[in-house]
Amino acid sequence: MAGVSVTEEFDYEDNPDRFRVNQEVVNRYGLVGDVHDEVAARVAKEALWPLLDMGCGEGRLGQAVDEAGPMVATDLARTLLLQARPPRVCSDMTRLPVPEGSLGSAAALWCLYHVGSPIEAIREAHRVLRPGGLFATCAPSIDNDPELAHCFPPPKPSPFDSEFGGELVKEVFGNVEADHWDTPAVTLPDAEAVALFLKGRGKSADEASELTKQVEMPVTLTKRGALFWAYKR
Ligand SMILES: C[S@@+](CC[C@H](N)C(=O)[O-])C[C@H]1O[C@@H](n2cnc3c(N)ncnc32)[C@H](O)[C@@H]1O
């Protein structure tokens, strides 16, 4: 996608099924909830409306917010965005069509590692928030899912891993609060589940079926990552 800020791993527009497979793995085999409910609850408790969901995917944050307050969903991948609840806008999160200081909160959940220059997206979030507004973002650790690390090449740092993402948020907002996790979070009971997980991580059906033979099942995956919060001063 020329002219927009994405990494080479961005395939959500051409391959929305990979996103959906990852969701299905978490929905079917997850042992703990995701961050969306927690973010929606904090925004509602602090009445920080309207809320902007940057990189909303199919709108899971919107489902968590439900009717609690007004929000807008944005994403670059039109196919996913069309599943999110309106109002919704197709845009690059580093160039939001949103007036300065107009929002109570902004969330960029599970997406800054796809952005070539995540600090530009964080600066955009800061620009569109009013003073006192809340920004929330999260990312996995580079050492996520260690139990299946042998199925992949050694991990390379992404533009926004949980190890240093908080520093980028602090650089823009001048403050950051970090909730880190390191916990067993998904149990894959059998070969079908492991193959589904591997397909969600970009393996072909043949590769997934071959790699599944190297995995002792059931396998419980340790999820590592962090949710970051920051207020605009
Ligand atoms: C892993 S999905 C997360 C979706 C959603 N936030 C959630 O938590 O379910 C990452 C999303 O970020 C979007 N995305 C990636 N780069 C983007 C950019 N530069 N501008 C807007 N959206 C982007 C993708 O299209 C995709 O929907």
Side-chain angles (χ1 to χ4, degrees):
M1 297 180 113
V4 295
S5 178
V6 292
T7 62
E8 60 195 26
E9 285 82 28
F10 180 95
D11 64 354
Y12 293 93
E13 182 60 8
D14 305 330
N15 189 11
D17 284 346
R18 195 174 72 77
F19 170 79
R20 291 176 182 142
V21 165
N22 281 323
Q23 291 295 305
E24 197 180 331
V25 168
V26 173
N27 293 343
R28 275 203 216 168
Y29 308 115
L31 308 173
V32 294
D34 208 325
V35 295
H36 307 85
D37 287 344
E38 190 178 344
V39 172
R42 182 155 169 178
V43 169
K45 186 167 177 226
E46 300 181 23
L48 293 169
W49 309 109
L51 162 66
L52 177 73
D53 188 5
M54 303 161 64
C56 66
E58 295 191 318
R60 290 188 69 200
L61 182 57
Q63 288 163 16
V65 166
D66 199 12
E67 301 293 325
M71 66 176 290
V72 181
T74 68
D75 202 287
L76 199 50
R78 203 171 288 273
T79 320
L80 296 179
L81 180 66
L82 282 172
Q83 302 303 315
R85 182 195 302 190
R88 54 197 178 206
V89 181
C90 189
S91 80
D92 183 343
M93 69 175 87
T94 63
R95 278 168 288 172
L96 295 166
V98 177
E100 189 171 333
S102 58
L103 300 169
S105 52
L109 304 179
W110 304 120
C111 52
L112 286 183
Y113 39 88
H114 294 299
V115 180
S117 177
I119 198 152
E120 286 181 44
I122 301 169
R123 285 197 189 110
E124 265 300 80
H126 186 267
R127 181 185 70 77
V128 299
L129 287 173
R130 61 176 179 257
L134 176 66
F135 177 58
T137 185
C138 63
S141 156
I142 192 170
D143 292 322
N144 204 22
D145 303 322
E147 295 80 6
L148 291 184
H150 62 284
C151 297
F152 299 93
K156 288 187 271 177
S158 84
F160 193 85
D161 293 317
S162 65
E163 280 78 0
F164 61 87
E167 289 308 309
L168 290 185
V169 175
K170 191 170 179 187
E171 193 176 323
V172 174
F173 280 80
N175 66 95
V176 69
E177 186 188 314
D179 299 333
H180 287 271
W181 58 82
D182 181 345
T183 188
V186 172
T187 292
L188 303 175
D190 51 27
E192 185 196 351
V194 172
L196 196 65
F197 172 89
L198 294 170
K199 281 187 223 158
R201 295 302 151 99
K203 299 291 182 190
S204 68
D206 285 349
E207 287 169 333
S209 128
E210 204 47 44
L211 285 165
T212 298
K213 296 176 191 155
Q214 302 170 21
V215 178
E216 204 172 312
M217 288 162 272
V219 56
T220 294
L221 304 180
T222 304
K223 293 289 174 190
R224 295 174 176 146
L227 175 57
F228 300 109
W229 310 90
Y231 288 93
K232 181 167 178 175
R233 290 184 167 138

